Amino acid sequence: AQTVTQSQPEMSVQEAETVTLSCTYDTSESDYYLFWYKQPPSRQMILVIRQEAYKQQNATENRFSVNFQKAAKSFSLKISDSQLGDAAMYFCAYLRKSGGSNYKLTFGKGTLLTVNP
Amino acid sequence: DTGVSQDPRHKITKRGQNVTFRCDPISEHNRLYWYRQTLGQGPEFLTYFQNEAQLEKSRLLSDRFSAERPKGSFSTLEIQRTEQGDSAMYLCASSLKGVSHNSPLHFGNGTRLTVT
């Protein structure tokens, strides 16, 4: 079974600074998808960034980028120039690409990010 | 695109009562998913539909839980004889087809259930 581990229950960053959130996962698959979702307080889960495992190039979306290390099964999220609106719970998620379970995201427990003004 | 909507946002019920939640997915999305999220945890998969067919149920979904999507549009999740352990956020999500890199899940705001 796939598992996703986020080892940092909470992180904080100063506004305008950079922060990196960690995520590791366990899988025997060679091809899969990885996602970071953001869940602001009392608001809906929003997709931040996505990565296909067979693509070696790290995904980037504006201030958000990932460091995907396939051999190490690591998928960290870097937020540059942090803004107050980035404060949220961040979830790392894994999706098996094929087979009978390719509809089921497996989420980590989340990292609560605080942005200090 | 009005997004995924869920109703109600909050539900407080007494133990033993039945509750029903509704989810309206994004209109062109044929796949609909239910997840449960407890405090301090990530969402956990409960069940999913492709159109009106319920194709998978997690072992987390006990016999007291039932989900339907009768016309392949909105879905309902009913919990019978609620227990305090059912207290959680129930999230609905939809996708255009199978979840993939290019077809991610779109989540609703969730229904927060409190069983007293």
Side-chain angles (χ1 to χ4, degrees):
Chain A
Q2 291 81 27
T3 57
V4 177
T5 302
Q6 293 180 248
S7 60
Q8 306 152 317
E10 297 184 25
M11 291 283 285
S12 64
V13 63
Q14 290 296 127
E15 195 175 4
E17 298 293 310
T18 295
V19 65
T20 298
L21 307 184
S22 301
C23 173
T24 58
Y25 56 94
D26 181 29
T27 183
S28 58
E29 302 291 323
S30 60
D31 200 8
Y32 44 86
Y33 304 107
L34 295 164
F35 303 85
W36 278 98
Y37 277 87
K38 167 186 176 181
Q39 188 177 40
S42 301
R43 295 184 64 184
Q44 70 185 128
M45 192 91 72
I46 301 167
L47 178 65
V48 174
I49 198 166
R50 66 194 95 171
Q51 174 86 38
E52 289 189 77
Y54 76 86
K55 290 187 176 179
Q56 293 187 346
Q57 186 174 6
N58 289 324
T60 299
E61 290 284 344
N62 300 315
R63 298 183 295 107
F64 298 87
S65 62
V66 299
N67 183 5
F68 174 47
Q69 301 290 326
K70 190 172 183 179
K73 296 180 182 176
S74 171
F75 183 61
S76 60
L77 174 69
K78 185 171 81 171
I79 306 174
S80 304
D81 185 26
S82 298
Q83 300 175 2
L84 295 178
D86 295 333
M89 183 71 85
Y90 285 81
F91 292 98
C92 178
Y94 167 97
L95 178 68
R96 182 179 174 183
K97 191 172 183 179
S98 62
S101 300
N102 63 340
Y103 46 80
K104 243 186 313 187
L105 278 175
T106 300
F107 287 87
K109 291 187 176 183
T111 297
L112 180 63
L113 177 66
T114 302
V115 181
N116 300 313
Chain B
D1 179 3
T2 58
V4 178
S5 64
Q6 293 187 246
D7 183 68
R9 290 291 303 272
H10 304 274
K11 179 69 177 179
I12 300 174
T13 191
K14 292 184 178 179
R15 187 178 55 187
Q17 297 295 305
N18 299 344
V19 294
T20 300
F21 312 140
R22 176 179 170 124
C23 171
D24 287 87
I26 294 172
S27 59
E28 65 269 25
H29 286 186
N30 61 4
R31 292 207 177 189
L32 185 148
Y33 310 79
W34 285 98
Y35 281 79
R36 182 174 68 185
Q37 185 179 18
T38 53
L39 197 62
Q41 303 292 324
E44 297 173 294
F45 170 82
L46 291 179
T47 188
Y48 96 103
F49 293 83
Q50 180 168 311
N51 300 314
E52 68 276 7
Q54 187 175 18
L55 298 185
E56 178 72 16
K57 291 172 61 174
S58 163
R59 57 183 170 81
L60 294 175
L61 217 63
S62 76
D63 291 344
R64 296 183 297 104
F65 288 71
S66 63
E68 294 182 346
R69 194 182 183 198
K71 297 182 180 179
S73 55
F74 74 91
S75 175
T76 57
L77 177 67
E78 180 183 15
I79 309 175
Q80 295 181 330
R81 305 181 303 281
T82 52
E83 302 174 355
Q84 287 186 323
D86 297 331
S87 296
M89 176 75 84
Y90 289 85
L91 296 170
C92 178
S94 69
S95 68
L96 184 58
K97 44 186 180 179
V99 181
S100 71
H101 175 266
N102 293 317
S103 179
L105 286 184
H106 296 263
F107 283 87
N109 285 316
T111 293
R112 182 170 296 284
L113 173 66
T114 302
V115 181
T116 62

